[in-house]
């Protein structure tokens, strides 16, 4: 079981959400996620559940513009919420192997003169279940000794003593950790820099005899001033993570390319309007050339986004671990954080395009959520087997294709029609199309019809076999429009030959026919 606690210092902006998603994804989706200082109003828990792909959630809304706690958990754990306040969420937590323990998510009072009230709260929570293993985790806003602080003025001895006393009273001890010691940092250069260990995970003595191992790791800041804490609870026999080889996907024009001016130049250079072949043949060759050029450029420009995000996060993490408080260090850190945020933004756009969930705004969208939606759509669209006209199930791709083609050929074919009876029926039907309407329907198509049809299409709806969607045409019409228009009008007005061609030609024909009917 993985449990993460993180003081996010506000989740009301797109950048904070992107880093929260990165934290969730890099830790392979923990079973429990506790967020402190969300600064979110009531009813935001459903939004975060969807963003991070959790099935359950509980929230304590902010007061004014400060505070706010959110607890998210998966279906593999079962919490029983006992109490909550602006400073805690207390529950019994049971995992999928029926192991139960007392779990308290804690947020110490930021104001020193009120902090004793949260110590009193912690003392009361001790008596909830004195015989169960107890894990207390969160931002305590206090240190145990001067060794837990670097820089700035000395901490009040009275405050530290009060903290140590309540820890002793509750029979708690801090977990040993891996990673950097200090969990909070005021990222100012030189003597203004301050680091403290304010975030803790503590357990009582009842963890010792139980069969579970428990470990604590101090993670990165993820664009906050607090590091995230990861507690792992496991058996020694836990299975290792297995890795699945990912399949290669075909070419598809990507929405994020349109944010780069270079993409327009690449299309302009690859698109050649010369040659003696038919307009449709030239269109298809140009699309192939553009696809090849864009693929090479994209590999050099973006590389593998997942890999780039991973490398960028590692660079930021490495800088955050360095004991360097110079102005140059923080300048480099800011630069690398900006690069990471831009990569996360690009990844978000990519998965939004893949999922085609257009009703969620960019920046308020979850990469993991979009990844799930895209995978579900691919599974839903996959035809694994089909029944032919004789009632026999076939599962090979070639056989499935033949059954589908045969079916549609038969339903659009008439056999043994009676023309005389058909004429009699038609004479009894009053025409609904006037001569004026008919003249409009049978008039030759013009260039504006082609452009109107292209504009009416969803930018990223159902690309053709070549992987080109409508946004490719819409955004590059000044370059490709004249040739595409000639190709389409030749098919529609002159019965241009499309035999042996890519199905893109038939695609244009169907779009224009539908547009004209409307």
């Amino acid at each position: 079981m993985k449990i993460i606690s993180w003081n996010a210092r506000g989740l009301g902006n797109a950048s904070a959400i992107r880093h929260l998603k990165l934290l969730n994804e890099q830790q392979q989706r923990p079973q429990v996620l506790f967020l402190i200082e969300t600064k979110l109003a009531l009813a935001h828990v459903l939004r975060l559940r969807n963003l991070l792909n959790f099935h359950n959630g509980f929230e304590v809304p902010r007061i004014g513009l400060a505070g706010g706690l959110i607890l998210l958990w998966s279906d593999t754990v079962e919490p029983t919420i006992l109490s909550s306040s602006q400073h805690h969420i207390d529950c019994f937590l049971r995992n999928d192997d029926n192991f139960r323990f007392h779990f308290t998510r804690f947020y110490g009072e930021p104001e020193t003169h009120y902090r004793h009230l949260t110590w009193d709260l912690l003392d009361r929570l001790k008596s909830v279940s004195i015989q169960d293993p107890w894990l207390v985790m969160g931002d305590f806003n206090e240190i145990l000794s001067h060794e837990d602080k670097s820089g700035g003025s000395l901490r009040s001895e009275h405050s530290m003593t009060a903290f140590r006393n309540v820890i002793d009273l509750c029979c708690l001890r801090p977990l040993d950790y891996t990673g950097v010691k200090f969990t909070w940092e005021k990222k100012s250069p030189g003597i203004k820099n301050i680091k403290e260990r304010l975030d803790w995970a503590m357990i009582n003595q009842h963890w010792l005899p139980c069969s579970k191992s428990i470990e604590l790791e101090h993670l990165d800041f993820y664009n906050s001033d607090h590091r995230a804490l990861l507690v792992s609870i496991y058996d020694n026999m836990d299975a290792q993570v297995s890795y699945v080889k990912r399949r290669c996907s075909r070419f598809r024009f990507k929405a994020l390319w349109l944010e780069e001016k270079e993409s327009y130049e690449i299309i302009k250079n690859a698109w050649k309007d010369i040659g003696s072949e038919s307009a449709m043949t030239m269109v298809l060759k140009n699309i192939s050339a553009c696809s090849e050029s864009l693929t090479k450029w994209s590999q050099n420009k973006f590389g593998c986004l997942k890999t780039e995000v991973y490398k960028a996060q590692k660079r930021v993490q490495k800088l955050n671990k360095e004991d360097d408080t110079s102005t140059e260090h923080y300048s480099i850190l800011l630069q690398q954080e900006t690069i990471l945020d831009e990569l996360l933004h690009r990844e978000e756009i990519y998965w939004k395009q893949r999922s085609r969930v257009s009703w969620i705004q960019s920046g308020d969208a979850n990469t993991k959520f979009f990844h799930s939606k895209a995978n579900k759509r691919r599974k839903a669209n996959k035809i694994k087997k089909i029944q032919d006209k004789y009632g026999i199930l076939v599962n090979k791709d070639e056989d499935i294709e033949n059954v589908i083609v045969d079916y549609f050929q038969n339903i659009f074919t008439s056999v043994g029609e009676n023309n005389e009876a058909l004429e009699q029926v038609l004479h009894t039907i009053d025409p609904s199309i006037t001569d004026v309407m008919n003249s409009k329907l049978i008039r030759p198509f013009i260039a504006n019809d082609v452009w109107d049809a292209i504009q009416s299409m969803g930018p990223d709806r159902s690309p053709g076999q070549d992987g080109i969607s409508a946004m490719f045409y819409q955004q590059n019409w000044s370059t490709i429009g004249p040739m595409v228009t000639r190709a389409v009008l030749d098919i529609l007005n002159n019965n241009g030959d499309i035999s042996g061609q890519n199905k893109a030609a038939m695609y244009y024909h169907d779009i224009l026919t539908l547009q004209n009917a409307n």
Side-chain angles (χ1 to χ4, degrees), residues 38-92:
T38 62
K39 301 183 181 179
L40 297 176
L42 187 66
H44 275 75
V45 66
L46 179 61
R47 168 174 165 264
L48 284 182
R49 275 176 46 196
N50 290 334
L51 288 175
L52 302 174
N53 204 20
F54 280 93
H55 296 93
N56 311 282
F58 181 86
E59 67 180 329
V60 178
R62 71 189 184 193
I63 293 180
L65 297 177
L69 308 175
I70 285 183
L71 177 67
L72 303 171
W73 66 92
S74 69
D75 282 342
T76 60
V77 296
E78 180 185 347
T80 302
I81 305 295
L82 303 174
S83 62
S84 64
S85 71
Q86 282 292 314
H87 296 283
H88 86 292
I89 300 176
D90 192 51
C91 72
F92 287 124

